[in-house]
Amino acid sequence: MRAVIFDLDGVVVDTAKYHYLAWRKLAAELGFVFDEANNERLKGVSRMTSLEIVLETGKIQNLSMEEKIALADRKNGYYLDMVSTIDESEILPGIPAFLERLRAEGYKIALGSASKSGGMILKKLGLMPFFDAVVDGNLVERAKPDPQVFTKAAEMLGMPCKDCVVIEDSAAGIAAAAAGGMKSVGIGSSEILGNADIVVPDTAELPGLDLPK
């Protein structure tokens, strides 16, 4: 492996909680409760696909595309307000040390995230200098498990996909890595992420991890 591609939410920082709070606020305004169990279905998918899942949960149908875009934009406004004060204290355990190790060992590093706020969040966390490329929802059209976000990152790094390993916390992301011909490290439960080449329970394990060959 010569390059490492990071997902953002749940891997570098726990912005997933802010996405959930923003979707829950929107759902409440629409008259229903969006709980954490249903929120699990949103991991790794795009904003508009997430909106469809939220609307399905609330049994809301027959909205025009313009109405859906307005709702997605409203939710994103809530989310951006919530993350506007995010700082390096919210970086997940082990990530700074892992990034330092990767840089010292000569790996290329990229972000591969469905979030359209990926670059902004890396800057707020003070991590942007570690990343050679940032691919977020502004640069891709197809959501995971389509591999586009990761293959685009490999392309921007100038690396063949077979030399890249993806760090992910969602089943959709692990599937996307496999579809792109990449190795993967899953962060979380082996029951959910069992298709990854390696699974670790949390990011604190990453600094001492032997990456897949």
Side-chain angles (χ1 to χ4, degrees):
M1 298 296 106
R2 295 190 291 153
V4 179
I5 304 172
F6 287 80
D7 179 38
L8 179 68
D9 298 340
V11 173
V12 175
V13 64
D14 187 15
T15 51
K17 63 187 177 185
Y18 298 116
H19 282 292
Y20 170 57
L21 291 172
W23 284 121
R24 189 173 71 175
K25 182 175 181 179
L26 180 68
E29 292 171 350
L30 295 174
F32 66 95
V33 175
F34 186 69
D35 61 22
E36 291 193 49
N38 280 302
N39 187 60
E40 284 296 307
R41 300 168 60 198
L42 306 189
K43 278 192 173 182
V45 302
S46 70
R47 184 185 304 170
M48 293 307 293
T49 303
S50 294
L51 175 65
E52 295 290 352
I53 293 170
V54 172
L55 294 176
E56 175 193 314
T57 302
K59 297 181 171 56
I60 294 178
Q61 301 174 337
N62 303 319
L63 296 182
S64 68
M65 181 53 66
E66 290 76 12
E67 289 171 318
K68 290 179 180 179
I69 291 171
L71 288 175
D73 287 346
R74 191 197 308 179
K75 175 266 170 183
N76 193 52
Y78 297 151
Y79 169 75
L80 291 176
D81 285 344
M82 292 173 187
V83 298
S84 63
T85 58
I86 200 170
D87 61 31
E88 58 194 38
S89 70
E90 297 202 51
I91 301 171
L92 289 175
I95 291 298
F98 188 44
L99 289 169
E100 291 276 8
R101 173 196 152 190
L102 294 175
R103 178 63 73 221
E105 293 180 1
Y107 287 91
K108 292 289 188 179
I109 303 171
L111 183 77
S113 169
S115 171
K116 291 193 173 183
S117 310
M120 177 268 286
I121 290 171
L122 287 182
K123 288 177 183 176
K124 284 187 170 291
L125 297 175
L127 296 178
M128 186 64 89
F130 286 103
F131 287 80
D132 301 295
V134 173
V135 178
D136 59 21
N138 297 297
L139 295 179
V140 295
E141 301 166 351
R142 300 188 298 277
K144 304 167 192 175
D146 188 285
Q148 185 185 33
V149 68
F150 296 142
T151 56
K152 179 73 173 175
E155 178 186 334
M156 290 178 67
L157 292 175
M159 291 288 177
C161 291
K162 66 180 179 60
D163 292 344
C164 298
V165 59
V166 169
I167 315 294
E168 257 287 355
D169 73 324
S170 73
I174 297 300
M182 302 179 186
K183 300 289 188 180
S184 62
V185 174
I187 309 295
S189 166
S190 57
E191 292 181 2
I192 297 171
L193 306 175
N195 290 329
D197 294 281
I198 297 173
V199 179
V200 294
D202 56 59
T203 56
E205 303 285 325
L206 291 174
L209 183 70
D210 289 331
L211 293 175
K213 304 299 183 189

